[in-house]
Amino acid sequence: MIHVQSLNGAWKMRQDGSTEVIRARVPGCVHLDLMSAGKIADPFYGDNELKVSWVHESGWTYERSFEPDAELLSADRVFLECDGLDTIADVSVNSRVLGHADNMYVPHCYDLTGKLSNGPNSLRIRFHSPVAFARPHMKAAPLHCPSDSIPGSVYTRKSPSQWGWDWGPKIPTTGIWRPIRLVGYRVARLEDLRARQRHRNGEVTLIVEVAVESFRKAECELRVTLTHPDGRAESLSAPVKGSTARLQVPVSDPQLWWPNGYGEQPLYRVDATLVCGGEELHTISRQVGLRTLKLERKKDRWGESFTFVVNGVRVFCKGADWIPADQFPPRISDDHYRHLIRSAANANMNMLRVWGGGYYEDERFYDLCDEHGILLWHDLMFSCALYPADPAFLDEVRAETREQVRRLRDHACIALWCGDNECIGALTWFKESRESRDRYLVDWVRLDDARAAAVREADPTRTYWPSSPCAGPGDFSDTWHKDGHGDMHYWSVWHEGKGFDAYYAVKPRFCSEFGYQSFNSLESVRAYCPEEDFNITAPAMEWHQRNDGGNRRINEMFSRYFRMPKGFAETLYLSQVQQAIAIRTAVEYWRSLRPVCMGTLYWQLNDIWPVASWASI
């Protein structure tokens, strides 16, 4: 059996070069801890973002002491398991360096066997400034990042949007952002679980496979318990042979999982338990929805179709793009996640696109999407930039991709893996890449080959799509304006200033991104702007508009379709009406084109902070 000792909760932190100790909470991040300690004001208010820029220029050390439980000290193996370290960190126990972490997207595990004292032990994690880390890399080999961001994000495996975006602040925070614990294992542990589905003639079989790491010789077996949606449970067992075990579990009276609006979302639970000498050593659980899913691409008189088919039914995908729900992810509550996913489902959405400039979400996000029938087009975390393609970076990309795809592949909601957001387009955005296109295209191909191979190794059942937008593997054409193949990002209305009737000029096969801005609600504005500045040209309002010319575009469109609003509250409200009309115009027309168009995902569902943006919530 395993023994878990949580290391969440109270920690201490201090800034590099300072002796002042500040109380900290884990999971958390340095900005939340500084706010709690009264050391910085809310970075979202006014232009406080500028006043806290010193935080990301500094290194920070988190530390605490702990006494290991007796069960840990008697275990065959003891590990320090860190679900998320953000990002450039050195980890040490009792002044002994355990290792280095440089990727917020992967868990880090350090072997502590024989390294703990029976009594107080010290744990220290020193985080380096991500901005300072990136500078010498940018100086040696400059690579373009989005113009709205702090340069250098591409040299860290850290959420690109934390460095700034045209809807987000420049606050690349750092810290222990996901749970951390000590875990003791006896005899062996499960390293991986995979639950594949075989559908034949109305019958479903689950093929459960596990990888086992043994710490000493023993005869073990795998026991799989399948719990049906109605609570019925059935178990099967099979011996562990070497480091693997495999079981086929027939599902009696299988109930199929459907996207929202197409049917119900019955969910099964798979518990895989490693048993040795009658003792349960380790259990991994998965939530599973029974369904078939494929992306159908067929040549037709309009070009090539792009249709998701679930359980043999062609689905028109209705939804939006998802960005991180908070600049500081440790404070995203269950209620916040639930509100956003439930709101999407209540609006009759059946798909969200997890955008490639954020991070891989917590398990609770994917569970909610399973429960509400929300399919996920899932980008990998690369966006709008030129990335390195050296062997060390590509090795990191492969490991990250395998880790995240293995973690998420059993969720019914995952519909497609996509390599990145707009990185093919980025090859044409920058002077360097335009003048040396072959060099940067080769780098992108190397990056994409690494991602594609890792996805196909970890999850060969789903389609891998190279980029969004994209006309298909090996096709680097302009899918912002050409609408006959693949997925399309259509931005001619907002970025090019065309009227709403421009949506009638294109017939996308699948529009995975389009949108129109509005100001946020008066309630949200009050959270960052004093009432004496209730004017869209006031400094606080302009600071909370990150798209160059955004306020002007909203006002200019007023003059096309409305009389100008009388006051500030009316301006905010009318901008939202205008945004709704823009989205409705596009969606109603493109849905009328079915089966030419089989998906409309608008930019974007939610916001990362209170700001004028394309978000509907």
Side-chain angles (χ1 to χ4, degrees):
M1 61 187 299
I2 69 171
H3 181 78
V4 179
Q5 183 174 337
S6 174
L7 295 177
N8 295 340
W11 284 58
K12 298 176 182 177
M13 77 167 189
R14 54 184 172 80
Q15 184 183 7
D16 282 2
S18 173
T19 58
E20 183 183 12
V21 174
I22 299 169
R23 291 181 179 178
R25 296 293 300 177
V26 170
C29 67
V30 62
H31 288 83
L32 294 179
D33 292 329
L34 291 171
M35 278 191 277
S36 294
K39 301 296 182 182
I40 62 172
D42 182 358
F44 291 178
Y45 191 83
D47 63 358
N48 285 348
E49 175 191 347
L50 292 173
K51 299 168 186 169
V52 303
S53 60
W54 61 272
V55 177
H56 62 245
E57 293 286 353
S58 180
W60 298 86
T61 296
Y62 281 73
E63 53 192 344
R64 64 162 292 167
S65 62
F66 63 91
E67 293 192 16
D69 297 338
E71 292 88 345
L72 285 174
L73 295 174
S74 64
D76 291 317
R77 288 288 189 279
V78 180
F79 294 98
L80 173 65
E81 296 183 352
C82 313
D83 288 347
L85 301 177
D86 185 8
T87 297
I88 315 298
D90 300 308
V91 182
S92 60
V93 168
N94 298 330
S95 300
R96 176 185 293 183
V97 175
L98 298 177
H100 180 72
D102 56 8
N103 190 324
M104 78 174 290
Y105 299 130
V106 299
H108 294 82
C109 183
Y110 304 99
D111 193 342
L112 287 178
T113 309
K115 299 174 183 176
L116 296 178
S117 303
N118 184 9
N121 292 256
S122 64
L123 171 57
R124 177 176 298 171
I125 303 179
R126 179 173 183 256
F127 291 94
H128 303 263
S129 161
V131 177
F133 171 85
R135 280 198 187 105
H137 294 280
M138 286 294 288
K139 186 175 181 180
L143 286 174
H144 274 283
C145 308
S147 58
D148 307 283
S149 68
I150 301 168
S153 63
V154 294
Y155 282 107
T156 66
R157 293 310 297 144
K158 174 178 177 61
S159 173
S161 65
Q162 289 189 356
W163 299 65
W165 219 263
D166 62 357
W167 37 255
K170 298 176 182 178
I171 311 177
T173 193
T174 195
I176 307 168
W177 75 293
R178 280 181 168 160
I180 182 171
R181 61 195 163 268
L182 300 168
V183 185
Y185 296 92
R186 294 182 60 245
V187 184
R189 67 171 176 172
L190 296 173
E191 285 191 302
D192 190 26
L193 166 64
R194 182 177 187 176
R196 293 187 292 119
Q197 302 179 26
R198 185 173 65 214
H199 293 247
R200 290 180 182 171
N201 302 320
E203 298 181 348
V204 179
T205 300
L206 282 175
I207 303 164
V208 180
E209 300 166 301
V210 297
V212 178
E213 181 183 18
S214 297
F215 307 125
R216 51 188 163 99
K217 191 173 182 179
E219 295 293 325
C220 296
E221 67 176 13
L222 171 67
R223 184 175 70 220
V224 174
T225 301
L226 177 68
T227 303
H228 292 247
D230 62 5
R232 288 184 297 121
E234 50 194 299
S235 297
L236 291 173
S237 297
V240 174
K241 298 179 179 179
S243 60
T244 62
R246 185 174 185 267
L247 262 172
Q248 294 193 32
V249 182
V251 183
S252 57
D253 301 319
Q255 300 177 53
L256 296 185
W257 181 96
W258 291 92
N260 185 34
Y262 285 77
E264 300 300 315
Q265 293 80 44
L267 294 169
Y268 294 75
R269 192 178 79 243
V270 175
D271 296 309
T273 302
L274 187 63
V275 181
C276 181
E279 182 181 17
E280 296 182 356
L281 299 179
H282 188 200
T283 298
I284 298 179
S285 301
R286 292 284 189 269
Q287 178 175 268
V288 174
L290 305 179
R291 56 106 181 100
T292 63
L293 188 150
K294 67 176 183 177
L295 175 63
E296 184 179 85
R297 296 170 58 212
K298 292 183 177 179
K299 299 292 183 183
D300 56 26
R301 65 180 182 272
W302 304 289
E304 183 181 76
S305 65
F306 196 97
T307 306
F308 288 92
V309 182
V310 181
N311 300 326
V313 175
R314 290 173 175 81
V315 173
F316 189 98
C317 295
K318 307 176 293 181
D321 297 291
W322 169 279
I323 69 168
D326 197 320
Q327 184 75 10
F328 308 122
R331 71 176 175 187
I332 301 174
S333 67
D334 290 348
D335 286 344
H336 193 172
Y337 269 133
R338 192 174 296 109
H339 165 66
L340 290 171
I341 300 303
R342 186 178 291 162
S343 296
N346 288 344
N348 301 309
M349 295 185 187
N350 58 32
M351 177 175 275
L352 295 174
R353 173 173 162 247
V354 179
W355 170 74
Y359 43 79
Y360 305 92
E361 298 287 342
D362 286 356
E363 202 71 26
R364 50 201 169 138
F365 168 82
Y366 302 96
D367 286 344
L368 285 165
C369 290
D370 285 343
E371 293 163 15
H372 289 278
I374 304 296
L375 293 166
L376 294 178
W377 171 308
H378 208 304
D379 291 355
L380 305 181
M381 295 302 121
F382 304 85
S383 185
C384 297
L386 308 176
Y387 282 87
D390 59 274
F393 185 82
L394 296 182
D395 284 346
E396 186 66 43
V397 168
R398 291 185 190 96
E400 170 192 316
T401 304
R402 282 193 296 267
E403 171 66 35
Q404 290 298 334
V405 172
R406 285 173 179 169
R407 177 173 76 97
L408 302 173
R409 64 190 171 195
D410 291 325
H411 282 281
C413 61
I414 303 290
L416 174 143
W417 299 110
C418 178
D420 61 55
N421 171 74
E422 298 188 349
C423 288
I424 289 178
L427 295 171
T428 67
W429 294 349
F430 310 116
K431 182 175 181 289
E432 290 83 352
S433 55
R434 288 195 299 268
E435 292 179 353
S436 303
R437 185 175 185 275
D438 288 351
R439 173 202 158 181
Y440 290 100
L441 178 58
V442 167
D443 282 355
W444 181 87
V445 170
R446 287 173 178 158
L447 173 65
D448 195 56
D449 284 347
R451 298 181 306 209
V455 169
R456 288 172 185 137
E457 173 192 333
D459 186 13
T461 66
R462 289 182 177 86
T463 295
Y464 174 79
W465 192 243
S467 184
S468 182
C470 177
D475 190 327
F476 304 105
S477 56
D478 177 9
T479 42
W480 276 265
H481 299 90
K482 295 182 180 178
D483 56 7
H485 297 76
D487 70 311
M488 185 180 199
H489 290 189
Y490 187 68
W491 282 105
S492 293
V493 173
W494 175 260
H495 286 299
E496 297 174 25
K498 294 184 178 180
F500 296 160
D501 57 352
Y503 289 121
Y504 301 146
V506 293
K507 298 179 179 181
R509 307 315 307 264
F510 193 105
C511 196
S512 54
E513 193 178 302
F514 69 100
Y516 201 83
Q517 261 204 14
S518 74
F519 298 112
N520 43 13
S521 67
L522 185 59
E523 179 186 12
S524 294
V525 170
R526 290 186 189 278
Y528 65 80
C529 182
E531 192 161 345
E532 58 267 25
D533 288 342
F534 277 9
N535 183 306
I536 64 170
T537 64
M541 289 298 296
E542 292 192 336
W543 188 255
H544 287 253
Q545 165 60 274
R546 292 306 168 92
N547 185 244
D548 187 31
N551 291 358
R552 172 181 52 79
R553 289 189 180 96
I554 293 172
N555 264 338
E556 286 178 352
M557 198 64 81
F558 282 163
S559 66
R560 295 191 191 188
Y561 295 104
F562 304 99
R563 293 189 175 95
M564 295 301 291
K566 293 180 179 180
F568 182 70
E570 290 83 358
T571 299
L572 303 182
Y573 172 76
L574 189 61
S575 76
Q576 296 183 351
V577 172
Q578 182 168 263
Q579 179 191 50
I581 292 172
I583 302 305
R584 185 180 71 180
T585 301
V587 167
E588 288 185 349
Y589 176 60
W590 292 338
R591 285 179 65 182
S592 77
L593 298 178
R594 178 176 178 165
V596 176
C597 178
M598 287 299 289
T600 56
L601 308 180
Y602 68 82
W603 185 266
Q604 65 216 62
L605 179 73
N606 58 308
D607 268 324
I608 201 167
W609 71 319
V611 67
S613 79
W614 298 267
S616 57
I617 301 177

